[in-house]
Amino acid sequence: MTSPNYASHPIDPERMPWIPMGRPGLAFKPLRFFRDGSGWMYLFRLEPGTVIPQHRHVGESHAFNLSGRRQLLDTGEVIGPGMYVYEPPGNVDSWKVVGDEPVVLFINVKGAIEYLGEDGQVLKSVSPADRLETYRRWCQEHGAEFLATCE
């Protein structure tokens, strides 16, 4: 019987540029995409004043605040450096960057994120596969090495 081949997969985010993520003020550095398409892990950077509109997490989300401050708009709570936020499946929230410093988060997301209208209808859904495609396309267009892991 052979033993499984376990190996570490280090990634140096300093080698990655911040990749634009749709609208201005949002950028990411992908670290890992789950091979089964169920989720991904990334660094997320948001510029001062950026608002994340109301959205629902289909799966759970874990966010660790590395720098900057953000305010949860439903509770008013301010999340600063070193704070962690767990969002269970089905959680609906919105938030904004407060202060003069960009926010940088380390996030692990399972499943899609659904952006909602005022009456709760889904306006847009973004899956881990969509984010993987965004990253692959950006690497191809810019001749950049694909550095994230797909495990």
Side-chain angles (χ1 to χ4, degrees):
M1 180 174 176
T2 59
S3 62
N5 182 15
Y6 295 105
S8 298
H9 298 278
I11 295 173
D12 182 0
E14 293 297 318
R15 292 185 52 210
M16 284 182 190
W18 285 104
I19 298 165
M21 194 180 217
R23 59 191 178 90
L26 306 175
F28 73 107
K29 291 185 180 190
L31 302 173
R32 180 176 185 231
F33 294 95
F34 299 109
R35 186 175 303 281
D36 65 2
S38 66
W40 66 307
M41 299 172 81
Y42 62 109
L43 295 176
F44 189 23
R45 179 185 169 109
L46 302 98
E47 297 304 318
T50 301
V51 175
I52 298 298
Q54 190 173 55
H55 60 283
R56 175 176 41 237
H57 292 272
V58 173
E60 67 183 19
S61 175
H62 304 266
F64 185 80
N65 223 77
L66 296 169
S67 63
R69 298 165 59 83
R70 60 190 178 113
Q71 182 178 34
L72 305 179
L73 297 177
D74 54 335
T75 66
E77 186 173 5
V78 175
I79 309 301
M83 293 181 74
Y84 163 79
V85 176
Y86 168 68
E87 298 179 47
N91 184 67
V92 174
D93 69 324
S94 61
W95 46 276
K96 69 177 179 179
V97 178
V98 294
D100 298 329
E101 182 182 358
V103 164
V104 177
L105 303 165
F106 171 68
I107 301 181
N108 179 351
V109 173
K110 295 291 237 167
I113 300 171
E114 299 174 329
Y115 292 92
L116 307 174
E118 288 183 21
D119 62 357
Q121 84 275 20
V122 176
L123 301 175
K124 179 180 180 182
S125 181
V126 179
S127 71
D130 295 330
R131 289 297 179 222
L132 175 57
E133 180 56 30
T134 297
Y135 179 52
R136 282 193 181 169
R137 186 174 44 250
W138 188 91
C139 288
Q140 290 171 348
E141 290 171 359
H142 293 88
E145 183 180 0
F146 187 101
L147 296 173
T149 63
C150 292
E151 299 299 325

